[in-house]
Amino acid sequence: MKVRITNGMLMGLVVNMVYAKAIGLTQGIMAREAGSDMWMATILSTLQGMAVMLITVIVMLRLPEKNMVEQAALLLGKWGGKLIAALLFLFFLGAFGTVMITFVYHLMDYFLPEVPVIVFILVGGAVAVYAVYQGLEVIARMALVGSFSIIALNVLVLFGSIYQFDIRELLPVFQNGFVNTIKASRHNDTDWAMATLMTALILPLVRDRLTWKKSAPLAIVYGGLFVLQWPILEAGVLSPEMTGQYIVACMQLARSAEIGQFIHRYEMIMIAFFATSALVQTMMSLMCACMSVSHVLGLKDYRPVILPTTLVLGGFGYWVVLDHGRAMRLLSDYWPPAALAVAFGVPMLVFAAGFLRKKKLAAARKEAEEEKQAQMRKSS
Amino acid sequence: MRDVGELLKERVSTDLADNVCCVEDVLGGNADLIKREFVYHEQRNLTGIVFFVDGLVSPKEIDHSIMRPLTMHTAELERFQHAHLGPQFAEEIKKHVLTNTGILLFDKIDTAINGLLSGDTVLFLEGCGEGFLISTRGWEARSIDEPTTEPVVRGPRDGFTENIRTNTALMRRRIRDANLQIEGLQIGDRTRTDINVAYIKGVVREGLVEEVYKRLQSIRIDGILESGYIEELIEDAPLSPFTTIQSTERPDKVASSLLEGRVAIFVDNTPFVLILPTTFWQFLQASDDFYSRYWAGSFFRLVRFIAFFISLTFPSMYVMLVSFHQEMIPTALALSIAAGRESVPFPALLEAMVMEVAFELMREAGLRMPRPVGQAVSIVGSLVVGQAAVQAGLVSPTMVIVVAITGISSFAIPNYAASFSIRVLRFPLLLASGALGLLGFAAVFSLLVLHALSLRSFGQSYLSPAAPFQPSEQQDLVLRMPIWMMNRRPAVAGADDTRMGPNQMPAPPDEEGEGDESAESRMADEEEAPNAGKGKRKGSRPWRSGKS
């Protein structure tokens, strides 16, 4: 029996897939480009994310039993499908690198500066391997736990830092111009890209396809709202200039927050609640990479490729994280054009292929319907 | 001498000597096998023989329901003076002479042997082609007593015993519903232990009972000595440190589980009954959560949740903070801890490990030693050794406090098996935190959560209704909502998921139309005429009308 997850779980996965990186590293980069408009850039980016998610879901709904790679294989031929799968693998390889930058720098720069990078990669990788081995349903449940952690963290940070908040720091609006703000939003778009391409691979495993169109974009809205609190607080408490000075801006915000005498350091609370989201990002990046590899190799199950894929992803993650300069160059210069090209290009390509090959699509849909009815007859 | 297996396959003969020979060949060498010969029909000179195992039977029952009717009430037997011998004759004896309520006619020797070993009496009468298996079970048993492992402040004091029939009777006393099914089977090639599966038809989920039977019937083992054997042989996650089947000594707990749509497995010779499917949160619930008012029930449950987190994470968090992240501790507290650790020569991890192991040692020794000595061990261990260790500078006072609080917290978890799981899981968490600080703690804690999330108990998610999150099921998780709010059974139940009528929230009588009468005068009126002037309560509850 195929594993199935609920729409609520999908929403949890989308929110977690975005949150950890979006509140810290992304905001730091956006602060450097957009200044006090970083929160505006986050809103614009959320709207763009919603649009791409909607396009992705519309493409998926044409053949809801097949994921994006399977649809591509059907419409573009076997090798076309493999090419798309390889492209998605490369995307998730890069995504894993950015996620590892988030995970490692949060822990290493603020808690364990003497621990070698390889230890972080090994430990994070081990947890991800175990989760991927357990399957999507377990990760999705973890994401639901992570969603509650995110809410708790947001509330705590809000309470801990609201007294230092100065709204004047958010002014003037569009300080560096509207176009520049839109341009800066591309960094947060890369976070949404991970969510939309993950959805493109796992959507057929989500129950109740009638609500896909509603739940997937709604997840982006929720995720956007959870993330949006951070640029507003970071700009209002730390100031945009100060936020831009840090690699992990959210930790600096957490460091400045306090409630009374005995909750005077928020970093650990932050990690306690944020770790789930960061680990879900790691798990899902690895899982999607494994699924892509299994499609490239023509395997029915992704489990045999977990270990080799982890080695490749872990190796890349280690190489990226080892050098802060390299990591930041990847995040701010190379990753956005590459990620956005894949996140927007692949759904559009498959959409266009379906548009041009309507007959094939109709035949596949009919075949899937007949197969479904045969299965229902068999089970009854 | 013939093989026992072959003998067991033999059929009962019309020749009494053959039957006696068969039974004696199988069980003859046993000192507790009693054989009693007698003549039951003087005119026709017909003899009979009873076999029973001493200690397993009630001698009074044998005397009253077998020996007396057959040897003293001979007038009854005279009517069979000209009757044809054979199976029909056996049927007549069963109907007209024997007074026992449980009699089975059998024609195979293995039925006789199984019955004998279960405490029944085997009767062979000359001329009958069948034997009589007569229920005379009656052995010494412990009386019903308060469960020692699950005491409650408010609630019933009776607990299960080692006798399966007493245990099922305790269930019948609580649930007088014709749909309560208690079905039996035997497991264990040599012990042939009686197992009873109890559930309420209509309330239990479709397919659950079949799944339980499927797993029980697949067991191939020589003996079942306790319900723990069954638990290990049918659970979903045999390698997991988490217990996915609940065991309890409390009949009220089993009754409430059956009413929730779960299945109970009773095993003979043990007071521990298994409940399934089980979620993790059940282990943090105590019976008196539901007997105390919901404020108290919710409060104590919250305390237990806190105790669970302390028990699992407190030593690890202490070691992690002291060893790696001192800056996270408030300054005054950090200085106080540092002063206590000044003379301690060991790293915090080693100190914690030694203290935890010592605590487990004391607990185990206190449990295994005879009770008076056990108490002495606990006192000597906790007071003398602890105090001496602190004074000698081997352990810091803070560590003693941490370990003591952790130990006390683990005692607050109502189920011993769950408490044990948490105790065991504390050690990898401690090691990881001591070795890698926050990274190790986060990684091992995440692995534990992932593992728990992957578990199922007979199709139900182990962490439900928290994960997957079911909003409608939250009324009996961290908080215990009022009983009048819990009108639906948990999702584990089958089709009949409604457990009470609508609008059960109690309310005082409606004062409308009663003017400014004082409460006292109204009560006086009601005493005179109980049904007169009674205001309406919320909802329709005919069973609560003044009739009672």
Side-chain angles (χ1 to χ4, degrees):
Chain A
M1 196 181 75
K2 254 187 179 179
V3 169
R4 295 268 171 196
I5 62 170
T6 62
N7 276 278
M9 288 176 176
L10 172 71
M11 290 170 79
L13 281 170
V14 170
V15 169
N16 280 269
M17 196 65 178
V18 173
Y19 187 80
K21 177 172 169 279
I23 64 168
L25 281 97
T26 305
Q27 297 304 335
I29 296 167
M30 288 207 297
R32 289 193 279 280
E33 282 191 23
S36 62
D37 292 328
M38 55 198 274
W39 65 280
M40 296 286 287
T42 306
I43 293 175
L44 291 170
S45 162
T46 306
L47 294 173
Q48 291 158 30
M50 265 178 72
V52 177
M53 180 64 96
L54 201 60
I55 292 169
T56 308
V57 174
I58 288 169
V59 172
M60 296 298 296
L61 276 169
R62 294 184 311 181
L63 262 179
E65 301 295 332
K66 295 190 185 300
N67 64 29
M68 191 67 85
V69 177
E70 288 162 344
Q71 278 200 32
L74 186 85
L75 298 167
L76 304 169
K78 186 182 161 188
W79 289 102
K82 282 187 190 295
L83 186 70
I84 295 291
L87 211 57
L88 288 181
F89 168 72
L90 289 175
F91 174 85
F92 284 107
L93 175 73
F96 188 84
T98 63
V99 167
M100 271 298 154
I101 296 170
T102 312
F103 178 69
V104 177
Y105 288 174
H106 271 82
L107 285 163
M108 193 172 78
D109 292 359
Y110 287 82
F111 293 100
L112 299 160
E114 288 166 14
V115 175
V117 170
I118 189 73
V119 176
F120 291 97
I121 302 287
L122 285 175
V123 171
V127 175
V129 166
Y130 181 71
V132 174
Y133 181 76
Q134 292 291 345
L136 179 65
E137 197 182 1
V138 171
I139 302 176
R141 286 181 189 166
M142 184 86 170
L144 277 182
V145 177
S147 301
F148 288 109
S149 304
I150 286 170
I151 294 169
L153 176 59
N154 274 17
V155 170
L156 278 170
V157 167
L158 185 67
F159 283 149
S161 54
I162 195 79
Y163 73 101
Q164 299 178 66
F165 183 75
D166 184 355
I167 199 162
R168 285 169 299 184
E169 295 286 356
L170 304 184
L171 300 173
V173 177
F174 295 125
Q175 181 186 20
N176 295 322
F178 180 68
V179 177
N180 187 54
T181 307
I182 289 188
K183 206 177 151 196
S185 70
R186 72 186 187 284
H187 295 291
N188 201 15
D189 285 345
T190 61
D191 303 333
W192 297 120
M194 291 197 291
T196 53
L197 285 179
M198 172 197 76
T199 309
L201 282 177
I202 65 166
L203 205 55
L205 306 175
V206 180
R207 285 188 209 128
D208 193 11
R209 66 182 62 149
L210 295 175
T211 54
W212 285 359
K213 237 187 214 175
K214 193 177 147 196
S215 56
L218 195 63
I220 302 267
V221 174
Y222 280 128
L225 287 174
F226 290 139
V227 172
L228 185 61
Q229 179 188 310
W230 290 83
I232 294 174
L233 285 178
E234 280 159 1
V237 174
L238 299 175
S239 83
E241 295 73 25
M242 191 63 92
T243 305
Q245 298 295 316
Y246 295 104
I247 292 175
V248 191
C250 59
M251 286 301 276
Q252 204 53 40
L253 178 70
R255 182 171 273 183
S256 67
E258 60 180 4
I259 299 178
Q261 193 192 348
F262 270 79
I263 309 182
H264 76 308
R265 296 292 292 258
Y266 256 55
E267 296 102 303
M268 193 161 268
I269 296 174
M270 161 116 195
I271 291 296
F273 288 116
F274 149 99
T276 317
S277 174
L279 286 168
V280 168
Q281 282 190 335
T282 319
M283 294 164 198
M284 282 314 296
S285 301
L286 178 60
M287 178 170 229
C288 292
C290 290
M291 286 170 86
S292 306
V293 172
S294 68
H295 281 300
V296 171
L297 300 176
L299 303 173
K300 281 190 176 175
D301 189 13
Y302 65 82
R303 283 184 174 80
V305 298
I306 291 177
L307 280 179
T309 310
T310 309
L311 286 176
V312 175
L313 265 61
F316 177 71
Y318 175 68
W319 175 76
V320 169
V321 172
L322 202 56
D323 180 349
H324 276 68
R326 185 191 298 145
M328 293 318 290
R329 274 197 302 281
L330 174 80
L331 277 182
S332 53
D333 300 338
Y334 304 119
W335 179 236
L340 297 184
V342 178
F344 191 69
V346 168
M348 289 312 291
L349 179 69
V350 177
F351 180 75
F355 189 75
L356 294 172
R357 307 191 72 179
K358 275 182 186 162
K359 278 185 184 172
K360 190 145 195 177
L361 198 64
R365 206 177 290 152
K366 197 178 166 190
E367 197 181 319
E369 194 59 39
E370 281 171 2
E371 202 173 299
K372 197 179 163 189
Q373 280 179 352
Q375 270 181 354
M376 279 170 69
R377 274 198 300 273
K378 202 177 168 186
S379 61
S380 65
Chain B
M1 196 169 168
R2 282 185 294 171
D3 179 56
V4 172
E6 278 176 31
L7 284 168
L8 291 176
K9 286 177 193 161
E10 286 281 315
R11 300 187 81 84
V12 175
S13 160
T14 46
D15 184 1
L16 189 63
D18 280 354
N19 296 332
V20 171
C21 190
C22 271
V23 173
E24 285 187 334
D25 280 353
V26 178
L27 295 173
N30 292 292
D32 54 352
L33 180 74
I34 308 292
K35 184 175 88 174
R36 164 85 159 81
E37 282 185 73
F38 57 92
V39 175
Y40 73 97
H41 205 292
E42 295 288 348
Q43 287 90 341
R44 296 175 75 171
N45 195 28
L46 295 174
T47 55
I49 192 161
V50 287
F51 285 101
F52 58 88
V53 177
D54 196 18
L56 291 184
V57 295
S58 160
K60 243 184 210 173
E61 185 65 28
I62 295 175
D63 181 43
H64 282 283
S65 65
I66 304 172
M67 298 309 293
R68 276 174 196 254
L70 286 171
T71 55
M72 296 178 75
H73 302 160
T74 47
E76 285 291 330
L77 290 161
E78 281 173 11
R79 57 191 290 197
F80 303 121
Q81 191 151 0
H82 305 293
H84 290 290
L85 299 177
Q88 188 58 37
F89 182 60
E91 192 62 43
E92 294 291 331
I93 295 277
K94 179 185 165 188
K95 278 184 185 169
H96 298 287
V97 181
L98 296 171
T99 57
N100 192 289
T101 51
I103 302 173
L104 175 78
L105 291 175
F106 64 88
D107 61 357
K108 279 191 175 173
I109 293 297
D110 71 334
T111 313
I113 301 299
N114 284 340
L116 272 174
L117 296 176
S118 304
D120 295 330
T121 296
V122 170
L123 167 69
F124 290 115
L125 295 177
E126 189 179 352
C128 301
E130 287 177 322
F132 299 79
L133 189 65
I134 303 166
S135 176
T136 54
R137 297 180 189 195
W139 48 78
E140 291 300 320
R142 186 168 63 91
S143 62
I144 293 172
D145 206 353
E146 186 171 4
T148 47
T149 55
E150 295 168 274
V152 291
V153 175
R154 178 174 174 175
R157 305 281 178 210
D158 55 347
F160 290 125
T161 69
E162 284 73 15
N163 187 324
I164 192 168
R165 224 19 88 221
T166 308
N167 296 346
T168 53
L170 286 170
M171 213 35 46
R172 288 267 183 220
R173 274 189 59 202
R174 282 173 168 79
I175 306 174
R176 297 175 191 181
D177 182 356
N179 287 319
L180 171 62
Q181 297 286 307
I182 299 178
E183 297 166 359
L185 69 157
Q186 283 188 339
I187 300 179
D189 294 339
R190 295 197 184 280
T191 58
R192 292 176 195 276
T193 309
D194 285 321
I195 310 286
N196 281 187
V197 177
Y199 61 94
I200 301 177
K201 230 192 285 176
V203 175
V204 73
R205 171 166 51 89
E206 209 177 310
L208 178 59
V209 178
E210 289 75 11
E211 179 62 27
V212 172
Y213 267 100
K214 198 175 140 194
R215 295 194 195 185
L216 286 174
Q217 283 163 348
S218 67
I219 296 174
R220 296 282 173 272
I221 192 168
D222 60 344
I224 298 290
L225 299 180
E226 214 274 340
S227 54
Y229 283 49
I230 300 283
E231 187 182 332
E232 272 196 53
L233 290 165
I234 64 169
E235 65 186 340
D236 285 72
L239 300 177
S240 172
F242 290 102
T243 314
T244 53
I245 295 176
Q246 189 180 12
S247 60
T248 181
E249 283 188 270
R250 296 194 63 84
D252 55 335
K253 220 171 210 181
V254 175
S256 81
S257 297
L258 293 179
L259 290 169
E260 285 179 347
R262 300 181 204 280
V263 172
I265 300 177
F266 294 80
V267 179
D268 202 10
N269 302 318
T270 175
F272 287 93
V273 173
L274 305 177
I275 298 170
L276 44 96
T278 298
T279 64
F280 177 74
W281 315 112
Q282 278 174 252
F283 295 117
L284 298 177
Q285 298 177 355
S287 296
D288 41 3
D289 287 356
F290 299 92
Y291 306 143
S292 316
R293 294 195 67 240
Y294 58 90
W295 287 107
S298 298
F299 175 75
F300 292 127
R301 200 175 278 182
L302 266 176
V303 168
R304 261 177 255 127
F305 269 84
I306 294 167
F308 157 64
F309 280 109
I310 290 176
S311 173
L312 184 65
T313 61
F314 196 32
S316 326
M317 287 174 88
Y318 173 76
V319 169
M320 175 177 78
L321 288 169
V322 168
S323 307
F324 291 91
H325 314 300
Q326 300 87 351
E327 74 279 7
M328 297 294 135
I329 309 171
T331 314
L333 183 62
L335 288 172
S336 172
I337 293 171
R341 281 190 49 75
E342 203 176 9
S343 61
V344 179
F346 307 116
L349 174 63
L350 188 62
E351 195 188 348
M353 287 299 285
V354 169
M355 283 299 286
E356 283 291 338
V357 170
F359 188 83
E360 293 299 325
L361 204 66
M362 280 188 277
R363 187 188 338 227
E364 191 61 18
L367 194 71
R368 304 291 160 210
M369 300 285 274
R371 199 158 285 175
V373 187
Q375 281 176 355
V377 166
S378 305
I379 293 163
V380 170
S382 55
L383 292 179
V384 180
V385 176
Q387 184 66 23
V390 171
Q391 280 180 349
L394 297 174
V395 176
S396 70
T398 325
M399 181 57 81
V400 174
I401 294 168
V402 168
V403 172
I405 290 175
T406 310
I408 291 166
S409 299
S410 73
F411 292 134
I413 294 160
N415 188 285
Y416 183 78
S419 168
F420 174 76
S421 300
I422 294 162
R423 271 157 55 195
V424 168
L425 292 173
R426 195 188 294 152
F427 286 95
L429 208 54
L430 186 60
L431 281 172
S433 305
L436 290 172
L438 185 57
L439 175 67
F441 180 83
V444 173
F445 194 79
S446 299
L447 284 174
L448 286 178
V449 173
L450 280 168
H451 175 65
L453 284 169
S454 72
L455 294 179
R456 283 178 180 278
S457 173
F458 284 81
Q460 192 183 19
S461 299
Y462 189 53
L463 292 188
S464 70
F469 186 71
Q470 290 154 330
S472 60
E473 303 267 311
Q474 302 303 310
Q475 53 194 2
D476 190 20
L477 189 69
V478 182
L479 301 177
R480 201 278 277 171
M481 291 293 150
I483 285 172
W484 39 262
M485 276 178 77
M486 294 193 278
N487 56 348
R488 297 219 169 261
R489 296 183 212 284
V492 66
D496 180 12
D497 66 340
T498 308
R499 58 183 310 178
M500 63 170 79
N503 304 320
Q504 293 292 299
M505 183 184 172
D510 189 355
E511 292 183 15
E512 201 178 306
E514 293 189 358
D516 54 0
E517 274 182 316
S518 66
E520 287 83 359
S521 65
R522 267 183 281 138
M523 281 171 72
D525 288 347
E526 281 183 11
E527 270 173 25
E528 283 170 21
N531 292 333
K534 204 163 196 173
K536 278 184 186 171
R537 293 167 76 100
K538 277 190 181 175
S540 55
R541 284 166 293 168
W543 50 273
R544 274 205 176 176
S545 66
K547 284 175 188 170
S548 61

